[in-house]
Amino acid sequence: MFRHSALRSAALALAVSLSLGAPSAFADNAPAAASATTAVQRQAIAQGLYELAYSPKQNAVFVASSGGFGDAAGPAQVLRLNPTTLAVETRIPLQRKAFGVVLDDAHDRLYVGNTVDLSVTVVDTAQNKAIGTVQLMEKKTGKDGKAAYTHDLRELVVDSAANRLYVTGHSSQPNVSSVLFVVDTTTLKVINTIPGLGNAKAPGLALDAANKRVYTSNLLADLVVVGTDSHKVEAQHKIAAEQPMNIALDPAGKRLFVTDQGSEMLRGYQAKSSGLVSKHPGQRVLVLDRSNGKELASIPTDAGPLGILLDAPRKRLYVTNREAGTVTAYNSDSYQKVATYPVPTHPNSLALDAKNNVLFVSIKNGEKDAKDADESVARIQL
């Protein structure tokens, strides 16, 4: 889910189509969900927190801190947290600002997206230190004579068995395609840059390693499917989500779960950047058939749904609602809401300790908070 702008804050914090089938299936008759305040433990950690990951191997939570922006900014770092107390156990200094993360636990590596530098920092989670940087693209000189990146970063996914890292490169210029960077994690080299993700921001990213597919969403209301074997766009589907953000994949079925934000700020951005007129109120999770993009269900959420995580064995789907300041939990089969966890101000990213059934949430500050105030991580005992 990155430059310091209103768009990137809403899209990631992070971070930022038509159904040809039957009408949407809404979970209208769900029973009242429990509000589980007592299950939430929270700790202020550092400035500029973004995504986080839980490592079963290390029994630790790793959270990215950009340090924030401006004169009061703190250091860029990855913080290793105790998963029970949320105390900071280790501070791992970085040379570049940290935003998105993905964990390759089998190889003791955390990959950290450095959005403003269009690169990825590699962190050794066993040694608690940065061990390398992958530069994904170089700056280009524009008509104004200034050198700048044509893209910026958001999400990362890793195929540990195949030694591949995939990173979405947002288009940051009109009429320039968003791309998918492919990195060989053994050599830490970019081996391909795949175009065709749409001339718009491409917020969502999910990997189906077994079927050799990567799924991305974009702000043109598209689901774009890339083959990890062919290294090309295999399919593109118009979908009913007009502001599709993060994606969760059902590993045992055909479903994709996509947060559809419904942000007024994003409506203005879409109209200006691509001419797309976004009218759907959003504030839902759209359930899609990943083979064709067809809408299977639409699940109402609280305001500003962003992060999403599926715990398939327990049939639970978790969503961060950025504007509402909540995390909501749903039965992933019936789509009924089963719990609401208040975590104000702006919950962002999710990670799960599946063994102990604990959810971790990074939480952004709001406009009323001091600019140099530390942001938080919450621990939710489910």
Side-chain angles (χ1 to χ4, degrees):
M1 263 187 127
F2 288 119
R3 288 176 186 164
H4 195 55
S5 65
L7 169 65
R8 205 149 289 112
S9 180
L12 174 66
L14 216 242
V16 113
S17 293
L18 302 174
S19 171
L20 302 179
S24 302
F26 284 85
D28 289 332
N29 299 315
S35 180
T37 306
T38 57
V40 179
Q41 175 186 348
R42 181 168 175 160
Q43 181 65 47
I45 302 296
Q47 295 182 57
L49 296 188
Y50 285 89
E51 294 193 338
L52 74 177
Y54 171 73
S55 166
K57 188 175 181 180
Q58 301 295 331
N59 190 30
V61 178
F62 294 92
V63 59
S65 169
S66 71
F69 295 84
D71 295 338
Q77 57 188 327
V78 167
L79 299 117
R80 179 179 177 138
L81 310 182
N82 182 293
T84 301
T85 66
L86 299 181
V88 176
E89 295 182 331
T90 307
R91 298 178 184 270
I92 305 171
L94 304 177
Q95 295 298 314
R96 302 181 178 190
K97 289 185 177 296
F99 298 89
V101 303
V102 68
L103 177 70
D104 181 355
D105 219 16
H107 294 103
D108 297 324
R109 284 186 173 181
L110 184 76
Y111 296 96
V112 183
N114 314 127
T115 294
V116 296
D117 297 293
L118 208 72
S119 62
V120 174
T121 297
V122 185
V123 172
D124 185 313
T125 56
Q127 300 184 65
N128 293 316
K129 67 178 184 179
I131 58 172
T133 302
V134 183
Q135 189 67 46
L136 299 173
M137 187 180 282
E138 299 298 334
K139 290 182 178 180
K140 294 185 179 180
T141 302
K143 294 180 180 179
D144 59 0
K146 297 180 179 179
Y149 294 113
T150 58
H151 293 72
D152 50 45
L153 306 185
R154 192 169 189 273
E155 293 297 277
L156 310 88
V157 293
V158 66
D159 186 340
S160 179
N163 298 309
R164 292 292 182 268
L165 174 72
Y166 301 93
V167 188
T168 47
H170 279 310
S171 166
S172 59
Q173 297 181 0
N175 302 315
V176 176
S177 171
S178 289
V179 299
L180 185 69
F181 298 106
V182 185
V183 177
D184 184 325
T185 58
T186 60
T187 64
L188 296 183
K189 300 293 184 182
V190 178
I191 59 173
N192 210 336
T193 300
I194 304 171
L197 272 58
N199 294 349
K201 300 295 183 183
L205 183 64
L207 171 69
D208 181 358
N211 293 299
K212 301 183 185 301
R213 292 291 183 269
V214 168
Y215 296 87
T216 71
S217 62
N218 68 32
L219 291 181
L220 293 171
D222 293 324
L223 176 69
V224 182
V225 187
V226 177
T228 60
D229 50 354
S230 67
H231 282 204
K232 66 179 184 180
V233 172
E234 296 288 349
Q236 183 169 327
H237 308 292
K238 281 295 178 185
I239 57 176
E242 293 175 354
Q243 295 182 6
M245 302 303 289
N246 288 16
I247 304 173
L249 181 143
D250 179 0
K254 62 182 181 180
R255 296 178 299 173
L256 288 175
F257 299 88
V258 184
T259 48
D260 184 10
Q261 198 158 80
S263 160
E264 288 302 319
M265 179 273 297
L266 282 180
R267 292 188 210 287
Y269 167 80
Q270 289 172 297
K272 183 178 180 180
S273 64
S274 65
L276 176 68
V277 179
S278 174
K279 295 181 179 180
H280 194 282
Q283 299 188 23
R284 61 175 178 165
V285 170
L286 193 64
V287 187
L288 302 176
D289 182 330
R290 65 177 182 257
S291 67
N292 55 24
K294 179 180 177 180
E295 180 177 338
L296 301 176
S298 180
I299 310 170
T301 66
D302 294 347
L306 179 62
I308 188 165
L309 185 151
L310 175 66
D311 182 358
R314 291 188 176 91
K315 299 182 179 180
R316 287 292 179 268
L317 183 72
Y318 301 101
V319 177
T320 61
N321 304 290
R322 190 178 187 279
E323 298 308 317
T326 61
V327 172
T328 41
Y330 305 86
N331 182 300
S332 60
D333 283 355
S334 69
Y335 307 136
Q336 292 186 339
K337 186 187 291 186
V338 295
T340 298
Y341 303 94
V343 282
T345 294
H346 299 309
N348 183 46
S349 174
L350 296 165
L352 180 69
D353 173 358
K355 179 180 177 180
N356 295 301
N357 202 22
V358 173
L359 193 67
F360 300 97
V361 189
S362 59
I363 304 168
K364 305 292 295 174
N365 288 341
E367 292 182 357
K368 296 181 180 180
D369 294 301
K371 291 183 178 180
D372 59 349
D374 286 345
E375 295 184 325
S376 303
V377 170
R379 180 187 190 275
I380 303 174
Q381 182 65 60
L382 301 167

